[in-house]
Amino acid sequence: MAPSILAADFAHLADEVRLVEQEADWLHIDVMDNHFVPNLTIGLPVVQSLRPITQLPFDVHLMIDEPRRWAPAYADAGAYNVTFHVEACDNPVALAKDLRAAGAKAGLAIDRDTPIEPYLELLPSFDTLLVMTIKAGFGGQRFLPALLEKVRLARTARESGHLELRIEVDGGIADDTIEQAAQAGADAFVAGTAVYGADDPAAAIRRLRALAASGVVGH
Ligand code: DX5
Ligand code: ZN
């Protein structure tokens, strides 16, 4: 479970992180540059400031142009996983190598309108595959179930290639959608609104985790 601080109160970020610290596995941090996506969020200085205040591993999701220029700095800042978009990068395998050399896991993100088939062969170079289940750019959008077909294809590729790969879904993950994502084969779940929009964010994570587990059992 990776709560996304995009839906948190930016005036109290440290407190918002502490609210989920006991229940989350990763803290998902959405970096947007107003170029790759129209939205503008947070960047390196905020990640650097947050790093010492929590033990949670940081799952940094870069929605930026030219990720080669910036991604390794997030690894240097102590991110556990750094994910960049395939649509923004002309040599994803080289950047994955750089990230691993900098001590982070390497993640590849696939946006709503990008087919996954051409990229399945790159997966051995990555630790994480992030399948968008919305169009990247904003929280609070409606989950698009048709995009789970990419999760199914990735899972088949993972099995046939005996890959160590986490398949993460991002966008519209909530009580009524997480089971189907788990059933399709996702094993990491980003949730912004469903966590920080809840009265009790920690309880929301527990509930989501239980629902995801029942989705796996039902598979
Ligand atoms: C959107 C971000 C997501 C966002 C998800 O581009 O990548 O991580 O925080 O928000 P919800 O869970 O509200 O769809
Ligand atoms: Zn994200």
Side-chain angles (χ1 to χ4, degrees), residues 31-202:
V31 174
M32 306 189 194
D33 68 350
N34 178 229
H35 287 269
F36 179 70
V37 290
N39 201 1
L40 183 67
T41 56
I42 56 181
L44 194 54
V46 176
V47 173
Q48 287 165 334
S49 294
L50 285 177
R51 188 54 288 177
I53 67 107
T54 177
Q55 308 274 359
L56 280 176
F58 285 179
D59 176 35
V60 173
H61 178 192
L62 300 176
M63 284 160 274
I64 63 171
D65 280 341
E66 289 192 78
R68 234 181 147 176
R69 183 162 158 204
W70 292 104
Y74 288 87
D76 294 341
Y80 168 76
N81 179 79
V82 180
T83 290
F84 60 90
H85 270 264
V86 70
E87 301 87 5
C89 188
D90 50 17
N91 195 341
V93 170
L95 182 47
K97 271 201 193 117
D98 292 349
L99 286 169
R100 284 173 166 180
K105 306 239 181 249
L108 188 70
I110 311 265
D111 206 354
R112 182 192 67 189
D113 300 329
T114 306
I116 196 172
E117 288 85 348
Y119 306 108
L120 291 173
E121 66 190 40
L122 308 187
L123 295 181
S125 300
F126 287 88
D127 306 291
T128 312
L129 172 73
L130 187 154
V131 174
M132 293 303 305
T133 38
I134 54 168
K135 169 94 179 140
F138 296 91
Q141 302 180 63
R142 255 205 20 227
F143 178 78
L144 300 169
L147 300 182
L148 291 179
E149 188 53 29
K150 295 184 205 178
V151 172
R152 291 185 196 99
L153 288 168
R155 196 161 89 151
T156 304
R158 179 174 72 184
E159 275 161 19
S160 60
H162 304 286
L163 304 179
E164 293 243 351
L165 180 76
R166 266 203 189 267
I167 303 176
E168 184 176 16
V169 282
D170 185 3
I173 296 297
D175 288 2
D176 58 342
T177 58
I178 196 167
E179 275 175 276
Q180 38 182 313
Q183 243 159 42
D187 46 25
F189 305 87
V190 177
T193 308
V195 170
Y196 281 107
D199 291 338
D200 182 343

Side-chain angles (χ1 to χ4, degrees), residues 12-29:
H12 302 101
L13 269 184
D15 297 338
E16 297 278 78
V17 172
R18 290 197 190 98
L19 278 182
V20 300
E21 200 161 29
Q22 300 306 316
E23 299 297 337
D25 301 289
W26 297 346
L27 189 73
H28 187 81
I29 304 179

